[in-house]
Amino acid sequence: MRVLAQVAMVMNLDKCIGCHTCSVTCKQTWTNRTGVEYAWFNNVETKPGVGYPRRYEDQEQWKGGWMLDKRGRLVLRSGGRVKRLLSLFANPDLPAIEDYYEPVTYDYDNLVNAPAGQDVPVARPRSVLTGKPTAITWGANWEDGLGGAPEHAGADPNLTGAWADKVKFSFEQTFLFHLPRLCEHCLNPACVSACPSGAMYKRVEDGIVLVDQDRCRGWRMCVTACPYKKVYVNHATGKAEKCTFCFPRIEAGQPTVCSETCVGRLRYLGLLLYDADRVGEAAAAPDEKNLLDAQRDVFLDPADPAVIAAARASGIPQDWLDAARRSPVYDLVEKYRVALPLHPEYRTLPMVWYVPPLSPVLDAVGEAGGDADDPDHVFAAVTRLRIPMEYLASLFTAGDTDVVAGVLMKLTALRSYMRERTLGEEGDERALKAVGLTAREAEDLHRLLAVAKYADRYVVPAAHTEDAALTALENRCPVESPGDVPGAPGRRVMLGIPTLRRTSEGGSA
Ligand code: SF4
Ligand code: SF4
């Protein structure tokens, strides 16, 4: 067992109001620069919808992520080294600017400098790329709140299968929810394995995936290989850029900017301990539907004495082990199992997980003439929710509706029980028992999902600079992929910035 720690994130989709504050604050921090105008390290999509870039989830088209070859070996969908080398100068599997959107600015000068005349001056849009007048026809959140859904959303790659007919894009028949997305800082990152220059790397100490700007040669193989399309090319420098998980803040014990500013308070940050020796095996699980369990099996119980001993032997400091035991991410992913990964079938083992949205289930019980206090009526309603189970399964469980139903029933039982408690009643525990929760666990999960304060949502231990020189000596990626050269340049650890005092408790509650 080789124990490593990763800073991971969970988002509770029920609470996302689609305000885009996370995207805007991320942009102001990281991509408010020439060359990356079109890049949103954090973006918020409306689902159903084609996303950003358009149809990024269609891996038949974009060739992102991993797949199993005929002999069951894990290989990049974009091809092996020979194929990648042959397409160095003409890679056909790259989104074009139209698939993202053409960034624009406005002729503001015209508003104040236009000569006097009969007409009111206007500020026409101009392309930031060419400087020429342009028409605005698409954007990073063009489909916000299902804008244009009758025309576009049917092209959502998740809408496959006979059940997709249930999704009607007409007023009062449709549903929507918001899906904030950023780099998944995967355990088995396709971008790292695809990079011919060794510029992409995953840090040993906290699992953050970064691009070394000095090593990047702009081959863009990472853009193709990332199935979430979360690597962007800066058209001014010609180099790859991506979400940094706000590593300078993380090293100082602070949450990422998107988490800090999230209006819905739906993001959670915490450590997950995992066994690096089992990552390859988990990513190569033969059946896609087993990938979720395979990834969960890689995570380790931070309270297990054997894990603690192995973690100490791996050099994980005591305060990190303490933080791992208090991790809200561990609780949501492993203890209560209500969080799910986005598209596990891409086999990158993503580390940003989601609590799926539960549409108003108690309303559904009432509409069907049922009793909102009867567990049988409530559970039956879960299968009739406006968000089709198959759609959520397509996003979070490689199509396994049973797993999604299990999570939704747990959330439903919790909601029903806490509703009674809030109304001053005893609380019927039958529904809780049916989903494997005790009353105490329900109180704990409710506290975490509904009312957790800042210090409970973000448990981020500060970096240890005294260990930086030691970890730098490791000089290699903790997770090897088929064909990797151990210790290859570029797969090294990045040194931490000077440790700052932990300030997470000092933020807004
Ligand atoms: S989501 Fe991030 S870590 Fe995973 S493959 Fe894409 S860029 Fe790499
Ligand atoms: S800031 Fe929070 S609530 Fe607003 S869109 Fe982002 S994730 Fe959703």
Side-chain angles (χ1 to χ4, degrees), residues 6-12 22 42 180-185 206 243 245-246 250 255-260 262 266-272 295 299 327-330 332-333 339-342 350-355 457-458 460:
Q6 165 131 11
V7 189
M9 186 186 286
V10 168
M11 293 189 231
N12 180 3
C22 48
N42 183 105
R181 292 204 306 119
L182 59 153
C183 165
E184 298 277 346
H185 298 277
D206 56 16
C243 159
F245 219 61
C246 292
I250 292 288
T256 61
V257 165
C258 57
S259 303
E260 173 83 47
C262 174
L266 57 98
R267 296 184 186 227
Y268 301 80
L269 287 168
L271 291 183
L272 281 176
Q295 185 170 1
F299 301 142
S327 169
V329 172
Y330 181 81
L332 294 169
V333 167
L340 300 169
L342 183 62
M351 293 298 272
V352 175
W353 287 39
Y354 296 87
V355 179
R457 296 198 306 271
Y458 312 130
V460 184

Side-chain angles (χ1 to χ4, degrees), residues 182-192 200 202 209 222 225-231 242 348 350:
L182 59 153
C183 165
E184 298 277 346
H185 298 277
C186 308
L187 286 184
N188 183 36
C191 57
V192 171
M200 311 268 317
K202 184 171 178 69
V209 175
C222 50
C226 173
Y228 302 94
K229 289 294 167 275
K230 279 295 173 186
V231 189
K242 64 179 287 301
T348 61

Side-chain angles (χ1 to χ4, degrees), residues 26-192:
C26 172
K27 186 139 199 60
Q28 286 293 88
T29 309
W30 291 105
T31 56
N32 192 9
R33 295 174 281 119
T34 304
V36 279
E37 297 90 345
Y38 77 102
W40 294 80
F41 290 172
N42 183 105
N43 72 293
V44 182
E45 287 161 13
T46 294
K47 286 293 185 187
V50 297
Y52 157 82
R54 289 186 228 211
R55 290 180 57 80
Y56 70 92
E57 291 156 296
D58 182 354
Q59 304 313 336
E60 292 299 317
Q61 179 179 5
W62 301 117
K63 309 279 188 288
W66 301 86
M67 55 184 250
L68 298 182
D69 68 9
K70 286 188 188 132
R71 285 157 57 190
R73 293 174 312 182
L74 199 59
V75 292
L76 285 172
R77 196 179 280 274
S78 54
R81 284 182 184 195
V82 174
K83 182 176 172 211
R84 290 205 302 278
L85 280 174
L86 289 176
S87 55
L88 267 187
F89 299 102
N91 179 355
D93 305 315
L94 280 175
I97 195 70
E98 305 80 58
D99 296 306
Y100 296 93
Y101 71 105
E102 186 175 26
V104 297
T105 185
Y106 293 89
D107 248 342
Y108 295 112
D109 271 0
N110 195 43
L111 293 181
V112 285
N113 294 329
Q118 294 292 316
D119 305 315
V120 177
V122 292
R124 294 175 65 199
R126 279 186 186 277
S127 166
V128 169
L129 303 179
T130 64
K132 294 187 178 149
T134 188
I136 303 174
T137 55
W138 196 252
N141 62 341
W142 192 259
E143 307 165 291
D144 205 24
L146 287 183
E151 197 181 333
H152 300 290
D156 178 340
N158 296 292
L159 293 175
T160 52
W163 63 269
D165 290 343
K166 279 198 234 169
V167 182
K168 304 259 191 281
F169 296 107
S170 52
F171 188 60
E172 288 193 343
Q173 279 189 303
T174 193
F175 65 93
L176 73 88
F177 61 94
H178 299 287
L179 182 72
R181 292 204 306 119
L182 59 153
C183 165
E184 298 277 346
H185 298 277
C186 308
L187 286 184
N188 183 36
C191 57
V192 171

